Amino acid sequence: MKNVTIKDVARAAGVSYSTVSRALSGSPEISADTRERILRLCKEMNYTTNTIARAMVVHSTKLLALILTDISNPFMSELAYYIDQQARSRGYNIILCNSSRSTELEREQFELMIGRKVDGVILVPSESSSYESLKPLLGRMPTVFLGENLREAPESYVSVDNHRGAFMGVEYLYALGHRKILYFGKRRGSITHQLRDEGYIDACKAYGLTPRYLNNSFTSTSIKYGYQLAKQLFAQPIDYTAIFAATDTNALGILQAAEEAGIRIPETLSLLGFDNIRDSGLPRINLTTIEQPKKLLASMAVDSLLDKIQNEMTGYTHRVLTPALIERKSCRRIV
Amino acid sequence: MKNVTIKDVARAAGVSYSTVSRALSGSPEISADTRERILRLCKEMNYTTNTIARAMVVHSTKLLALILTDISNPFMSELAYYIDQQARSRGYNIILCNSSRSTELEREQFELMIGRKVDGVILVPSESSSYESLKPLLGRMPTVFLGENLREAPESYVSVDNHRGAFMGVEYLYALGHRKILYFGKRRGSITHQLRDEGYIDACKAYGLTPRYLNNSFTSTSIKYGYQLAKQLFAQPIDYTAIFAATDTNALGILQAAEEAGIRIPETLSLLGFDNIRDSGLPRINLTTIEQPKKLLASMAVDSLLDKIQNEMTGYTHRVLTPALIERKSCRRIV
DNA sequence: TTGAAAGCGCTAACAA
DNA sequence: TTGTTAGCGCTTTCAA
């Protein structure tokens, strides 16, 4: 497992090792034929440049960290795919870190990454408190937050316009004839969810509807959690015609509970989600939802971060994308 | 973004920098109070060890590469989650590489990783030809293959017993009364699929059934592809009572096509999958399937790799896990 | 056009 | 117990 170094090549070529370095880096100050000869030799000897040795001197690892809560979550894994793609096309690789939704672990990972000398980090925060928790470290590493709207915080982020998305959702349901729309998933501790909630409320105001909630506060975004809460919900009388779920995963849980309770979607009850995760487009699921444009979010996050890195960190950018409604089959027009 | 180094701390503490190094590494050859003092100083000055500088001298980056075809695929992302978890618990981080199902890109990524001096790589091959394509590089980097059975190849791998799984599937269907079972997804260019196919055939033999295929060769494992093929299939008369799909994603496509064709599952037709991806457990989907134990596969791959690394590469291991049947609602007992 | 040498931040062998 | 020094593999001045 001993590797060929620049010195080995130099020796074989009978030149100094700085010459080899020049040949490799495509420097102009070297004669065409020595370059050729050296390059050929490198091939023959299976030389691969040691990226970390280079990193030490050029002060750049061409490595980005992606810190997210859980790569097995379909929303995250899609983001990750696009981020990797975009990063690679710009010559970077990604170190993947799962924070498992713990701010502490998140912080720990972040510190580790600064030790690893990654060039920057993209962070999908585990909670709204992430920003505060990470604040002391932010000055030490170019960072862009992804997926969470940090409002006026002086840090770069790219997210979707959650307020607008929720507003659009209500608008859509209203146009379909719904007047009694239950919002499912009001959640503390997440700006994203606060904004969605506000969007819901504002839309209700705008259309003269009364906001309705299920009387529970949320902690989780999982399918299982949505299922459990929906189960309680369906044990009570249903005095609404549509449910607007704060996330698709919640909606999936609702779907299951509805099935078990014999409530037909969309026949008896309309259901609208938010995020447009892969699962939502699956046959038999066909969830109508507000989409977060994952590919765009991803590439903007990468671009934004690389800008920051390459232009030596002047200021920050907030980019907020408008979501779109994806119409499938979980909402129906009512009389 | 200038970082505090060991020298800065040494200067501040009025000691030589090797003393600081010793304090940091918890070496016994240092007095308790100088250690304390230095450690405190490190905290105060926000010192973080430069991992790459250390890596240069200790010849270990504590970095593993995970090369897979596509992290957005739910099967892969689950694997990735568990791999990251296990790796982290052993003090390693993961570099994520998507090969996008191209052997060429796969190879390229592999080379890149050897340049990055990762300590090892876990590779979920994009095709059966991956092994051959990577062979010349394998000697230069500890590698374990994951998910694909490389048969007698002298390289470490961990995979599921695909032959056995397929056999079990037929057995299950047989016990339910099915005698005409169509195998959907016979696929060239993948050992995994060859083994599943063989398992199917052998089970048919064992139970006196006639193997049935759809007369198409497969290239893809996606939902869409399964859907398109199933569509053609359902245009012809149905002379079987169950479909055994080679992958859950294929099964999902079949589900959709069936829905559109007005074929009820499981009432009219039973459907059995393979893999047990997350989606399969979703409400309304409820696919009965053969499970690949992802968590176990992941941790075994990591352990196997770390063994290899720590014990300086003596030989290889083949680990083949037995899959289990997950009974849900897509198969029914027939008379 | 090429070579010599310094240095990136760290560990480890050797001295003191 | 502590300091000095070499060196990991590379890039990059500065000389030649």
Side-chain angles (χ1 to χ4, degrees), chain B residues 15-39:
Chain B
V15 297
S16 79
Y17 62 91
S18 46
T19 305
V20 178
S21 174
R22 276 189 277 258
L24 255 11
S25 67
S27 151
E29 27 186 43
I30 185 174
S31 74
D33 42 323
T34 35
R35 171 194 283 116
E36 291 267 308
R37 194 164 52 88
I38 291 175
L39 256 27

Side-chain angles (χ1 to χ4, degrees), chain A residues 1 46 48 51 61-62 70 81 84 88 93-94 96 98 109 115-116 139-140 256 259 265 279 284, chain B residues 1 46 48 51 61-62 70 81 84 88 93-94 96 98 109 115-116 139-140 259 265 278 283-284:
Chain A
M1 214 105 312
N46 270 329
T48 320
T51 323
T61 52
K62 293 284 182 181
D70 177 1
Y81 179 79
D84 182 51
R88 196 171 54 224
N93 278 118
I94 295 291
L96 179 69
N98 289 90
Q109 300 273 326
R116 284 208 183 274
R140 299 171 62 192
Q256 184 171 10
E259 184 139 309
I265 290 173
D279 305 14
R284 295 192 174 194
Chain B
M1 214 106 308
N46 270 328
T48 322
T51 323
T61 52
K62 292 283 182 183
D70 177 1
Y81 178 78
D84 182 50
R88 195 171 55 226
N93 277 118
I94 295 290
L96 180 68
N98 290 90
Q109 301 273 328
R116 285 210 182 274
R140 299 171 62 193
E259 184 139 309
I265 291 172
R278 260 186 44 135
R284 296 193 174 192

Side-chain angles (χ1 to χ4, degrees), chain B residues 28-259:
Chain B
E29 27 186 43
I30 185 174
S31 74
D33 42 323
T34 35
R35 171 194 283 116
E36 291 267 308
R37 194 164 52 88
I38 291 175
L39 256 27
R40 201 165 351 99
L41 215 46
C42 285
K43 275 258 137 61
E44 281 174 30
M45 303 177 66
N46 270 328
Y47 170 80
T48 322
T49 310
N50 181 328
T51 323
I52 76 174
R54 143 181 287 166
M56 286 234 45
V57 13
V58 301
H59 298 289
S60 163
T61 52
K62 292 283 182 183
L63 231 31
L64 263 28
L66 173 59
I67 304 181
L68 40 68
T69 56
D70 177 1
I71 189 70
S72 76
N73 171 310
F75 177 67
M76 306 274 172
S77 73
E78 273 187 74
L79 279 180
Y81 178 78
Y82 292 123
I83 287 172
D84 182 50
Q85 220 181 234
Q86 181 70 3
R88 195 171 55 226
S89 80
R90 303 269 239 124
Y92 285 78
N93 277 118
I94 295 290
I95 298 190
L96 180 68
C97 305
N98 290 90
S99 66
S100 305
R101 217 163 264 295
S102 135
T103 9
E104 208 161 313
L105 241 177
E106 196 173 50
R107 216 193 119 93
E108 202 176 278
Q109 301 273 328
F110 197 100
E111 294 204 54
L112 244 163
M113 291 307 121
I114 107 158
R116 285 210 182 274
K117 294 281 172 274
V118 298
D119 290 352
V121 359
I122 294 179
L123 195 137
V124 185
S126 66
E127 292 191 35
S128 61
S129 64
S130 291
Y131 170 66
E132 284 301 325
S133 135
L134 258 17
K135 214 172 187 177
L137 300 173
L138 259 21
R140 299 171 62 193
M141 177 64 70
T143 302
V144 6
F145 287 79
L146 175 56
E148 186 93 341
N149 187 312
L150 261 27
R151 306 206 195 238
E152 294 312 314
E155 274 299 321
S156 292
Y157 65 79
V158 13
S159 82
V160 109
D161 188 337
N162 287 293
H163 182 283
R164 184 100 200 282
F167 198 101
M168 286 165 57
V170 174
E171 229 163 9
Y172 170 74
L173 255 12
Y174 186 91
L176 247 36
H178 295 276
R179 297 296 177 266
K180 295 174 173 179
I181 302 168
L182 177 88
Y183 189 73
F184 185 104
K186 187 187 172 102
R187 178 134 66 267
R188 51 160 183 64
S190 153
I191 301 174
T192 296
H193 287 286
Q194 196 178 321
L195 289 169
R196 287 183 188 179
D197 185 29
E198 287 168 11
Y200 166 73
I201 292 181
D202 290 349
C204 283
K205 252 181 223 149
Y207 288 95
L209 310 180
T210 322
R212 292 154 189 266
Y213 295 99
L214 88 161
N215 49 0
N216 266 289
S217 67
F218 258 74
T219 47
S220 162
T221 190
S222 70
I223 296 180
K224 198 182 294 170
Y225 202 81
Y227 167 72
Q228 286 164 351
L229 246 53
K231 206 149 174 162
Q232 296 173 29
L233 183 68
F234 292 148
Q236 297 157 295
I238 296 178
D239 59 341
Y240 41 85
T241 62
I243 295 182
F244 189 176
T247 68
D248 280 7
T249 41
N250 281 164
L252 258 18
I254 295 172
L255 219 50
Q256 183 170 10
E259 184 139 309

Side-chain angles (χ1 to χ4, degrees), chain A residues 16 18-19 22 29-31 34 56:
Chain A
S16 79
S18 42
T19 304
R22 277 189 275 260
E29 28 186 42
I30 186 175
S31 74
T34 34
M56 286 234 45

